[in-house]
Amino acid sequence: MATLQSLKTPIKELGETHLLPEGTTFHDITESISRVTENPAPRGWWLLFIPALALLGVMGASIAYLVTVGVGVWGNNAPAYWAWDITNFVWWIGIGHAGTLISAILFLFRQNWRTSINRFAEAMTVFAVLCAGIFPALHTGRPWFDYYLFPIPNQMDIWPNFKSPLLWDVFAVSTYLTISVIFWFVGLIPDLATLRDRSKSLLRKRIYGFLALGWRGSHRGWQHYERAYLIFAAISTPLVLSVHSVVSFDFATSVIPGWHTTIFPPYFVAGAVFSGFALVLTLLLIVRAIFGFQHIATMKHLELMNKFMLATGLMVGYAYAMEFFIAWYSGNPYESWVFLHNRLGFGATDHYGNWGPLYWSYWAMVGCNVIAPQFFWSKKFRTNVPFMFVATIIINIGMWFERYVIIVTSLHRDYLPSSWGDFTATPADMLLYLGSFGLFFTLFLLFVRWIPMFAIAELKSVLPHAHPDMAELTREEKAGASSELSPAPAE
Amino acid sequence: MTENQEKRPALYLAEYDSPEALAKAAMRVRDAGYQKWDCHTPYAVHGLDEAMGLKPTKLGVISFIAGMTGICLAILMIWYMNVYDYPLVIGGKPPAMSSFPSMVPIIFETSILLTGFGTLFGMLAMTKLPRHHHPIFESDRFEAVTDDKFFISIEVEDPKFDLDRTRSLLESTQPSHLELVEEAA
């Protein structure tokens, strides 16, 4: 009888391999991952951490400047009231989505290779959502009144408008952040216990011990724990799809040509996963090089991620094409104008005979998002580390341009030529965006330094002999074949 | 704990090197009819539910109830705030439950949020965590449970526990190490 075990054995003839190099033991995994938190940080870590801290300072300064002077320090003005701030918000939140996809959706599909990247990707989600939150919070103009967004009594005696997609956003993003943090923490409990048990100093033992909640690896606990993990995966999957759908509703429910389109929710979700995978891979390549984790995040993992980027890149490319089809098929002259003039930049000049001034951003987007990932059809490029590092950065530049194109090129040419305007970013725009990288990388580098950056317990469970073959053991026991054990004592 | 403090036995702790050895031993302890015992593993070993004779977890029930509570609370909140206490007419949508579709996203998100909290606190309650003090931590060898060793513990509170008989049962499963863990009386 073909047992489950034999189904899990890789077929050598097909070129299948184990997820981790052959002969990896449980202790190897514990040792190589915990070591990072116990040894002094390598020089590469400091080389990244110091600039990250400096950028965090830039963020603090630019927020202080914005709050003191007012939101007018940004370039947003009539008619482009949304510009870099909302672009950055959508970009950061989109990046977070890959983390949830890896930790939840791939878990439901039993893609065991995710265990090498999920911890990482979940941390990235949490930090990216924090960065995203800064922008709309400041864009309200008076951030100290942001509590009006929540359904709590305020001095105006009025409640939030629950019919507004902007309020849906508040609920979607704050729920997303909360659930991501919980999911991440629950996944961390057994690994924090590993660090606790390895601690040499009392302080480490106290801190990790406190956070590990007294975890004893008990199977009665694992049983509930595994079910909780499954439930988190099951609720995070619709949640992550809903978050970027709700973000896209901010645009799709308005009547701005270029925004008012039903393709937005799936288009935004695909784009989010695309850019998120790119950033996970950028970070993974950096960390892999600094800490030497080539045996845990193997070429096999990198190649699978590149395939994901190719697939989502194609979806995004399809959505770009479909937008043009709908602009033509709807017969709406405003819609066609936006796409031909504002985005493509040719085919329709304005009444001065000028091309759309921001057409270059559309072409930057297509070049980065549609053309760059096509190289991943070839295995040579999918397994070339320097190439994929550059490609992931290009993809994220492209995804930033995608949001910029959607937001600014649609807004800066309104229905009436009298309301046309232009948008120019100011230094305050740029510094805050730059500063948000400081927040992200500071948190991320602290995470890789002090928290197990790979899921230790989960990696152990994907080793070839991690699970006993219960059918076999039961049969042996029935047949009395487990003779290597001495007979059980009589009562 | 100082040396001259009085101690009393808390549990037997048997150590194994492989998940197979653990599962075989677990089946034997299960068949001997113990109740207050447990397996301790570095990761969730699949198949131990069966080897230990555990019933499936009921955590899903808690999560489901929490999720349904979220739906009800969200409907109640939106109705109270936008329909009853301060009716808002926006976008030609009437301030009544007839504008229900526009409430769905928030109802959905609230339900997910409460399911998440329900699952977290339900899981902690069912696993009886956080519990930072436990006699099992008195064993130095137990530190390897989060690394690469597998343990079975049988507690003295178990009605079938007997210092000699339980010991010989565990010895018959050929553990790589067996100890009686004591705690301060």
Side-chain angles (χ1 to χ4, degrees):
Chain A
M1 194 177 90
T3 58
L4 201 60
Q5 208 68 35
S6 67
L7 290 176
K8 281 179 186 161
T9 315
I11 306 164
K12 292 245 161 51
E13 290 75 24
L14 293 178
E16 288 182 348
T17 51
H18 284 294
L19 286 171
L20 297 176
E22 209 117 0
T24 309
T25 65
F26 296 133
H27 183 68
D28 291 343
I29 295 176
T30 315
E31 185 63 33
S32 59
I33 297 169
S34 316
R35 208 173 43 203
V36 171
T37 68
E38 289 156 359
N39 293 349
R43 185 184 302 164
W45 185 85
W46 285 107
L47 283 178
L48 291 174
F49 187 67
I50 291 168
L53 263 189
L55 283 181
L56 182 63
V58 169
M59 186 186 96
S62 60
I63 290 180
Y65 177 58
L66 179 112
V67 170
T68 328
V69 181
V71 82
V73 299
W74 284 348
N76 315 7
N77 213 331
Y81 287 115
W82 288 7
W84 274 48
D85 47 357
I86 305 300
T87 303
N88 298 339
F89 162 69
V90 181
W91 187 78
W92 274 121
I93 209 134
I95 278 176
H97 281 39
T100 319
L101 182 112
I102 292 167
S103 58
I105 301 183
L106 295 187
F107 179 77
L108 294 183
F109 282 106
R110 295 287 185 265
Q111 296 295 306
N112 280 339
W113 60 276
R114 71 183 257 295
T115 48
S116 285
I117 49 173
N118 69 329
R119 170 67 41 75
F120 219 89
E122 285 163 26
M124 187 193 73
T125 298
V126 172
F127 305 147
V129 175
L130 284 177
C131 290
I134 298 170
F135 293 96
L138 292 174
H139 188 217
T140 55
R142 296 190 181 110
W144 48 95
F145 288 130
D146 277 357
Y147 66 90
Y148 286 178
L149 294 167
F150 296 99
I152 43 179
N154 58 49
Q155 73 272 43
M156 299 193 303
D157 215 13
I158 194 172
W159 298 105
N161 168 23
F162 289 97
K163 291 166 195 149
S164 163
L166 297 177
L167 194 75
W168 302 349
D169 235 8
V170 173
F171 274 78
V173 173
S174 49
T175 301
Y176 186 46
L177 180 64
T178 317
I179 296 293
S180 301
V181 170
I182 295 177
F183 196 8
W184 188 49
F185 176 69
V186 167
L188 269 169
I189 295 173
D191 294 359
L192 291 168
T194 300
L195 293 189
R196 171 199 66 197
D197 290 344
R198 289 172 57 93
S199 298
K200 299 274 183 291
S201 77
L202 188 62
L203 182 68
R204 275 180 74 94
K205 212 170 189 75
R206 285 265 161 84
I207 295 174
Y208 288 121
F210 175 77
L211 292 172
L213 308 179
W215 180 256
R216 303 189 298 280
S218 113
H219 189 75
R220 290 174 199 270
W222 275 119
Q223 197 197 17
H224 304 302
Y225 176 93
E226 285 238 292
R227 179 59 56 87
Y229 204 88
L230 178 68
I231 293 171
F232 280 124
I235 62 172
S236 300
T237 300
L239 175 66
V240 69
L241 300 180
S242 85
V243 172
H244 231 54
S245 298
V246 165
V247 170
S248 81
F249 290 158
D250 293 346
F251 304 98
T253 58
S254 73
V255 291
I256 308 287
W259 287 8
H260 188 61
T261 159
T262 49
I263 201 178
F264 263 25
Y267 164 26
F268 269 51
V269 172
V273 171
F274 183 48
S275 68
F277 258 88
L279 195 69
V280 175
L281 195 50
T282 313
L283 298 172
L284 189 63
L285 291 174
I286 295 174
V287 168
R288 205 169 162 264
I290 294 181
F291 295 103
F293 275 124
Q294 281 84 349
H295 59 295
I296 287 179
T298 61
M299 190 52 83
K300 184 178 173 175
H301 295 102
L302 303 184
E303 195 186 344
L304 279 165
M305 294 178 75
N306 287 331
K307 285 184 184 167
F308 247 96
M309 282 194 285
L310 176 60
T312 45
L314 288 173
M315 289 181 207
V316 168
Y318 170 78
Y320 295 163
M322 202 34 91
E323 279 190 312
F324 277 89
F325 173 75
I326 295 296
W328 166 75
Y329 189 69
S330 65
N332 180 336
Y334 297 102
E335 194 83 11
S336 324
W337 163 262
V338 164
F339 280 91
L340 287 176
H341 174 263
N342 293 6
R343 300 217 172 147
L344 281 189
F346 57 74
T349 52
D350 65 18
H351 59 288
Y352 301 113
N354 295 328
W355 286 8
L358 293 173
Y359 73 94
W360 52 271
S361 57
Y362 186 82
W363 289 108
M365 163 188 110
V366 171
C368 296
N369 290 349
V370 184
I371 297 170
Q374 300 309 320
F375 287 96
F376 288 141
W377 286 105
S378 141
K379 191 176 172 90
K380 210 174 83 195
F381 288 109
R382 282 203 305 271
T383 51
N384 181 332
V385 169
F387 177 82
M388 64 177 99
F389 185 72
V390 175
T392 54
I393 291 173
I394 288 179
I395 287 169
N396 263 319
I397 295 174
M399 285 309 295
W400 188 88
F401 270 116
E402 178 192 302
R403 280 64 177 250
Y404 182 76
V405 163
I406 291 173
I407 293 170
V408 178
T409 65
S410 304
L411 281 177
H412 83 303
R413 293 287 182 270
D414 213 329
Y415 286 98
L416 289 172
S418 61
S419 354
W420 286 5
D422 279 318
F423 168 77
T424 331
T426 61
D429 277 314
M430 297 172 196
L431 287 176
L432 186 60
Y433 179 49
L434 204 63
S436 66
F437 282 93
L439 177 64
F440 181 82
F441 277 99
T442 305
L443 291 171
F444 188 78
L445 289 163
L446 288 175
F447 152 73
V448 297
R449 179 78 184 81
W450 297 110
I451 295 176
M453 69 176 110
F454 297 100
I456 302 177
E458 284 183 52
L459 275 168
K460 285 176 186 165
S461 77
V462 300
L463 286 182
H465 299 294
H467 302 288
D469 189 340
M470 281 312 291
E472 186 67 33
L473 287 183
T474 316
R475 236 186 350 269
E476 266 179 28
E477 204 195 28
K478 285 225 176 84
S482 58
S483 50
E484 70 260 35
L485 294 190
S486 45
E491 284 300 309
Chain B
M1 181 170 7
T2 52
E3 282 302 315
N4 52 9
Q5 222 171 339
E6 210 167 311
K7 290 179 185 177
R8 63 183 173 84
L11 48 91
Y12 267 121
L13 191 60
E15 181 182 320
Y16 304 87
D17 290 331
S18 77
E20 279 80 19
L22 176 81
K24 274 184 201 166
M27 294 198 306
R28 209 164 251 199
V29 179
R30 170 196 69 192
D31 294 342
Y34 284 90
Q35 298 299 320
K36 289 193 68 84
W37 67 290
D38 214 333
C39 292
H40 302 267
T41 55
Y43 55 89
V45 177
H46 297 157
L48 273 190
D49 287 7
E50 191 193 328
M52 290 177 69
L54 296 181
K55 291 196 193 78
T57 165
K58 296 253 169 36
L59 182 59
V61 178
I62 298 180
S63 307
F64 180 77
I65 293 172
M68 291 300 122
T69 313
I71 292 182
C72 299
L73 278 182
I75 294 177
L76 194 67
M77 172 180 77
I78 298 175
W79 169 81
Y80 173 76
M81 291 178 185
N82 269 191
V83 179
Y84 178 78
D85 188 49
Y86 196 113
L88 281 179
V89 185
I90 283 167
K93 298 181 190 83
M97 293 316 272
S98 52
S99 57
F100 187 77
S102 63
M103 302 175 184
V104 169
I106 288 181
I107 294 171
F108 172 77
E109 303 296 346
T110 315
S111 149
I112 295 282
L113 185 69
L114 263 76
T115 312
F117 280 120
T119 310
L120 174 69
F121 293 117
M123 190 266 283
L124 290 178
M126 291 173 112
T127 55
K128 300 192 181 66
L129 292 179
R131 175 175 178 183
H132 287 95
H133 180 267
H134 192 282
I136 205 166
F137 291 125
E138 299 294 338
S139 162
D140 288 337
R141 297 187 72 92
F142 189 68
E143 287 185 353
V145 72
T146 53
D147 183 9
D148 60 353
K149 294 285 188 257
F150 302 80
F151 293 84
I152 286 182
S153 65
I154 302 182
E155 300 187 12
V156 284
E157 281 83 25
D158 192 290
K160 282 187 76 87
F161 187 92
D162 178 276
L163 274 180
D164 299 325
R165 274 222 294 271
T166 305
R167 179 172 200 103
S168 59
L169 171 73
L170 283 172
E171 269 167 357
S172 80
T173 63
Q174 293 167 0
S176 53
H177 185 85
L178 178 63
E179 65 179 306
L180 180 66
V181 179
E182 293 179 311
E183 63 179 334

